[in-house]
């Protein structure tokens, strides 16, 4: 993972942001459209990164845009791009595949779940660009595990592995193409729509001091023309000022969106396990399992997903996904060792002796399972994002407005970009 240290990266990004915005003077006597536009996107996960990408595309890569992305994590992650690393081995501990619909399949014309055929075509265009950049590799359905939420309909859905740097590299590419200033370690706490239609934002920036590795917190205050919140609904509602800025119907949606919970663990083993696991997995990259505690849903072998990388993996990397709705604090090491023993024929003790490192994420908001259309009986057509009642410049986008897939994130992200574009045409 090629990241600068947190302090250096954040300081550099803040300097870049300050320099880029130095010529901006917010004048209430002038139209927003006569000034440089300051846009804040909260969250650098899949929806946030796609939103920045689509804003730049819809506004023709305008030099008048200053897009700032605030991310409370230390890298572009979210539920989609979370990763773990050890030496030069990478593990996806969020999404295992990127899934979208094949627009050439006759079933793709059947619109629904907040998705139009134009959204399907757009998603496929973005995917093909990522493929051309050697960031994605299409996966056959037969190598994947069958999961409750994964949509495996032969010919309709296409699934892709992220190669080289994992799913986070997809987000990095989108943010780079959008020419954003990313500020990592920044938590947005509150916002307020001002009389001049600008939106003031407050938060806390956490950065690490290199000398002693201590973490210091610095207040963040700024003003933006647009704020687009691209985090799960429960996290959006934690930002003070959001609930009072949207309509009662929008608030009802945000309060009733449902997510399941699960745990994901990455285990890095000695590379001596690779040949054994290759024989055990056959042609598959993922495998459904029945474990000792009935808590593991499937295992995902990471090494084959990086197949077009020239780097030699130093580890055999396996990710364990818990059952949907798993409520435990962790997957027991005993269950994992027994599961790997069943797969490889090694004893649990031998499996344990080959382990080098683990990383666990407990997802309190994992897969979105109750979307907007399950909450509102007769939603407006193409209601794919939410906007503030007063001026529409506070926008909330997320898969909860569409569906939990790459396609769903493309649809809601493009809707947010359209909302910005529409607001600007009124100037």
């Amino acid at each position: 993972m090629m990241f600068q240290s947190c302090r250096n990266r954040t300081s550099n990004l803040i300097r870049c942001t300050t320099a880029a915005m130095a010529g901006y003077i917010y004048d209430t006597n002038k139209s927003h459209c006569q000034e440089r536009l300051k846009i804040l996107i909260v969250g650098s996960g899949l929806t946030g990164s796609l939103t920045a990408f689509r804003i730049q595309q819809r506004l023709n890569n305008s030099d008048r845009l200053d897009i700032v992305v605030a991310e409370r994590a230390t890298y572009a992650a979210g539920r989609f791009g979370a990763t773990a690393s050890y030496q030069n081995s990478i593990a996806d501990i969020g999404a295992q595949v990127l899934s979208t619909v094949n627009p050439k399949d006759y079933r793709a014309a059947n619109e629904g779940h907040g998705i139009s055929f134009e959204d399907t075509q757009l998603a496929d265009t973005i995917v093909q660009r990522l493929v051309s950049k050697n960031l994605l590799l299409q996966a056959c359905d037969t190598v994947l595990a069958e999961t409750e939420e994964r949509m495996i309909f032969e010919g309709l859905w296409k699934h892709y592995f992220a190669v080289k740097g994992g799913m986070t590299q997809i987000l990095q590419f989108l943010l780079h193409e959008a020419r954003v200033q990313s500020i990592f370690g920044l938590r947005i706490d509150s916002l307020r729509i001002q009389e001049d239609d600008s939106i003031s934002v407050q938060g806390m920036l956490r950065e690490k001091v290199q000398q002693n590795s201590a973490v210091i917190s610095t207040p963040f205050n700024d003003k933006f023309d647009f704020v687009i919140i691209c985090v799960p609904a429960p996290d959006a509602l934690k930002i003070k000022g959001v609930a009072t800025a949207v309509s009662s119907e929008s608030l009802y949606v945000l309060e009733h969106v449902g997510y399941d919970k699960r745990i994901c663990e990455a285990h890095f083993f000695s590379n001596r396990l690779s040949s054994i696991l290759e024989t055990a997995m056959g042609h598959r990259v993922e495998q459904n399992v029945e474990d000792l505690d009935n808590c593991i849903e499937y295992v995902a072998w990471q090494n084959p997903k990086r197949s077009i990388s020239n780097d030699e993996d130093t580890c055999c990397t396996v990710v364990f996904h818990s059952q949907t709705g798993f409520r435990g604090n962790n997957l027991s090491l005993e269950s994992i060792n027994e599961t790997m023993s069943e797969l490889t024929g090694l004893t649990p003790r031998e499996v344990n002796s080959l382990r080098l490192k683990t990383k666990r994420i407990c997802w309190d908001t994992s897969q979105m399972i109750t979307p907007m259309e399950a909450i509102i009986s007769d939603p407006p057509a193409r209601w794919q994002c939410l906007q503030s009642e007063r001026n529409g410049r506070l926008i909330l986008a997320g898969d909860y407005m569409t569906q939990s897939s790459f396609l769903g994130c493309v649809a809601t992200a493009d809707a947010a970009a359209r909302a910005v574009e529409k607001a600007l045409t009124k100037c």
Side-chain angles (χ1 to χ4, degrees), residues 49-62:
S49 298
L50 283 166
T51 298
F53 181 74
R54 287 301 293 158
I55 288 174
Q56 279 288 12
Q57 287 190 325
R58 281 193 168 273
L59 299 183
N60 299 313
N61 295 308
S62 172

Side-chain angles (χ1 to χ4, degrees), residues 206-221:
R206 293 168 56 85
E207 55 182 338
K208 188 176 293 186
V209 180
Q210 280 185 316
Q211 290 81 352
N212 55 14
S213 297
V215 176
I216 61 172
S217 297
T218 306
F220 174 87
N221 296 279

Side-chain angles (χ1 to χ4, degrees), residues 39 51 126 224 422:
I39 301 174
T51 298
I126 296 173
F224 297 88
K422 183 178 179 179

Side-chain angles (χ1 to χ4, degrees), residues 55-82:
I55 288 174
Q56 279 288 12
Q57 287 190 325
R58 281 193 168 273
L59 299 183
N60 299 313
N61 295 308
S62 172
D63 290 332
R64 295 170 50 244
L65 293 178
D66 289 319
I67 303 177
V68 179
V69 175
E71 172 57 58
R72 65 184 180 184
T74 58
Y75 65 102
R79 293 169 294 156
F80 177 82

Side-chain angles (χ1 to χ4, degrees), residues 20-21 24 29-30 120 124 142 147 161 177 181 233 240 254 276 285 303 320 328 344 363 368 383:
M21 297 181 181
Y24 183 94
N29 296 318
K30 294 183 179 181
T120 299
D124 188 67
T142 55
T147 65
F161 293 135
E177 291 290 291
Q181 290 90 41
K240 185 179 179 181
L254 292 170
I276 301 172
V285 176
N303 302 64
F320 299 82
T344 63
W363 293 106
M368 190 273 301
W383 194 31

Side-chain angles (χ1 to χ4, degrees), residues 29-103:
N29 296 318
K30 294 183 179 181
S31 164
H32 289 284
C33 297
Q34 295 175 340
E35 304 287 350
R36 293 186 63 81
L37 289 168
K38 293 176 64 176
I39 301 174
L40 175 67
I41 296 176
V42 181
S44 69
L46 186 54
T47 298
S49 298
L50 283 166
T51 298
F53 181 74
R54 287 301 293 158
I55 288 174
Q56 279 288 12
Q57 287 190 325
R58 281 193 168 273
L59 299 183
N60 299 313
N61 295 308
S62 172
D63 290 332
R64 295 170 50 244
L65 293 178
D66 289 319
I67 303 177
V68 179
V69 175
E71 172 57 58
R72 65 184 180 184
T74 58
Y75 65 102
R79 293 169 294 156
F80 177 82
T83 60
S85 63
Y86 180 72
Q87 297 179 359
N88 66 336
S89 296
I90 303 293
D92 292 313
I93 49 177
Q96 292 299 319
V97 295
L98 182 156
S99 301
T100 193
V101 163
N102 179 6

Side-chain angles (χ1 to χ4, degrees), residues 160-207:
Y160 296 85
F161 293 135
V163 298
K164 298 182 180 179
M167 291 296 183
T168 187
Q169 196 164 42
I170 305 301
L171 305 181
Q172 292 172 32
F173 173 81
L174 295 170
L175 293 171
H176 178 267
E177 291 290 291
R179 295 185 293 174
V180 307
Q181 290 90 41
S182 299
I183 306 180
F184 298 109
L186 175 57
R187 185 192 70 231
I188 301 301
D189 295 322
S190 64
L191 55 84
R192 182 182 177 86
I193 301 175
Q194 303 295 327
E195 290 298 323
D196 61 5
D197 278 344
S198 67
I199 304 175
S200 61
V201 176
Q202 295 77 43
M204 192 64 67
L205 177 65
R206 293 168 56 85
E207 55 182 338

